[in-house]
Amino acid sequence: MPKKDKFYRHALEELQLELAGLNQWLLGGGRRLMVILEGRDAAGKGGTIKAITQSMDTGGYRIAALHKPNDIESTQWYFQRYVQHLPSAGEVVLFDRSWYNRAVVEPAMGFCTKAQYKAFMAAVPAFEKLLTDDGIILLKYWLAVDQEEQEERFAERATNPLKHWKLSPNDLASREKYAEMGRLRDVMIERTHRPHAPWFVVDFNDQKRGRINLIRHLLEQIPRHDEAIPIVKLPKLKGKLKNEHVTSKALWVPDTCGD
């Protein structure tokens, strides 16, 4: 295994132990954590979420990756469909994109009006202040990737049948909007960066380094998360260990793996 990959695996294992402690800290105190991951298409949001949650208690986190609003949702208050995904006591919710679609993607692609964009930019700081005043810990990350690297990732998706699903028509259309999205991103950060909800930018031209740096930073932002993970001592079983004997009414799946 290359030295770089060994470093990544070792660093990630150590961080996942800390994330498990974070899980315990949230559960133990009924605390709420929300992490927003924004960035260009193919920046690495999904892979980062998998790395964060890989060793977490499945009951302690949720992933919010909302699709295009339906006809009913389109008539609602813009934040309404996001509110139902906010964390409950003891939870961390990770947003794979968020309400900030309206700050970058939607205006760049013509999916919202200028009035809708203007109203959102005016409302979002107050909306996030309500969340943090209520005790939610809010972390916002922009995953930065250069256009050359983004194009390489798009090319890989185009030629890899296991990744075709990641390449949407919107992804293809956004390739011509790189500069425009960068301008909108800067306006978004300048107008929505607040002490209670700051923006953090992470270099994701190298996705593995980006994941390690983001997770380390995330853990550093939590006031205290070094909860001891309880060690379970298994009592000794009585008698001999038994084999699995299933009723003959069940059908066994053939073993096709060979020796």
Side-chain angles (χ1 to χ4, degrees), residues 40 107 117 177-188:
R40 301 175 185 277
Y117 168 77
K177 302 284 186 176
Y178 187 91
E180 173 66 6
M181 287 188 171
R183 184 189 67 79
L184 288 164
R185 173 209 58 218
D186 287 348
V187 172
M188 173 190 75

Side-chain angles (χ1 to χ4, degrees), residues 5-259:
D5 290 342
K6 284 184 178 180
F7 167 80
Y8 172 73
R9 289 184 60 179
H10 178 71
L12 190 57
E13 285 175 4
E14 289 187 341
L15 290 171
Q16 285 173 342
L17 279 173
E18 290 194 55
L19 287 167
L22 170 62
N23 228 174
Q24 292 290 323
W25 182 78
L26 293 170
L27 289 167
R31 301 170 182 91
R32 295 167 292 165
L33 172 62
M34 184 168 64
V35 181
I36 288 176
L37 297 175
E38 291 287 347
R40 301 175 185 277
D41 298 317
K45 296 178 291 294
T48 301
I49 289 173
K50 288 180 182 178
I52 291 172
T53 60
Q54 183 175 324
S55 299
M56 279 188 167
D57 180 348
T58 54
Y61 73 85
R62 285 185 290 115
I63 299 168
L66 279 62
H67 297 291
K68 178 183 176 181
N70 58 35
D71 291 341
I72 294 176
E73 290 171 334
S74 296
T75 67
Q76 297 172 344
W77 176 49
Y78 178 74
F79 295 100
Q80 188 167 334
R81 69 190 191 115
Y82 293 100
V83 168
Q84 62 186 309
H85 295 282
L86 297 177
S88 301
E91 279 190 326
V92 54
V93 175
L94 299 114
F95 278 82
D96 185 347
R97 294 198 186 279
S98 66
W99 44 80
Y100 281 107
N101 268 343
R102 180 142 292 180
V104 178
V105 175
E106 289 189 18
M109 304 301 293
F111 296 156
C112 70
T113 67
K114 290 182 179 180
Q116 288 172 328
Y117 168 77
K118 184 177 179 180
F120 169 81
M121 295 298 284
V124 69
F127 173 68
E128 292 179 348
K129 187 68 164 59
L130 289 173
L131 301 183
T132 56
D133 282 351
D134 197 55
I136 293 177
I137 302 170
L138 174 58
L139 298 175
K140 304 187 299 191
Y141 290 98
W142 178 271
L143 281 55
V145 60
D146 295 336
Q147 191 170 24
E148 182 178 359
E149 178 62 28
Q150 185 187 42
E151 282 295 297
E152 289 181 8
R153 294 176 192 176
F154 281 154
E156 182 190 7
R157 291 179 178 186
T159 57
N160 186 339
L162 298 180
K163 294 185 178 182
H164 277 177
W165 64 272
K166 291 185 175 184
L167 199 59
S168 71
N170 282 342
D171 293 340
L172 297 175
S174 71
R175 292 173 62 228
E176 301 298 331
K177 302 284 186 176
Y178 187 91
E180 173 66 6
M181 287 188 171
R183 184 189 67 79
L184 288 164
R185 173 209 58 218
D186 287 348
V187 172
M188 173 190 75
I189 292 173
E190 289 167 5
R191 293 183 59 183
T192 65
H193 179 88
R194 295 290 190 279
H196 60 273
W199 275 103
F200 300 105
V201 181
V202 189
D203 184 346
F204 258 75
N205 283 300
D206 182 323
Q207 293 195 69
K208 290 182 177 180
R209 290 178 69 91
R211 288 173 199 158
I212 297 299
N213 289 329
L214 188 150
I215 296 171
R216 279 182 177 156
H217 184 272
L218 185 158
L219 289 164
E220 289 170 356
Q221 306 314 301
I222 308 303
R224 186 174 181 84
H225 60 266
D226 55 347
E227 293 289 313
I229 301 171
I231 297 174
V232 179
K233 186 175 182 180
L234 297 176
K236 188 175 181 180
L237 290 173
K238 297 178 181 179
K240 294 182 179 180
L241 299 179
K242 300 174 179 61
N243 294 327
E244 184 90 273
H245 292 293
V246 183
T247 173
S248 60
K249 294 293 185 180
L251 300 176
W252 283 89
V253 173
D255 180 2
T256 61
C257 295
D259 296 329

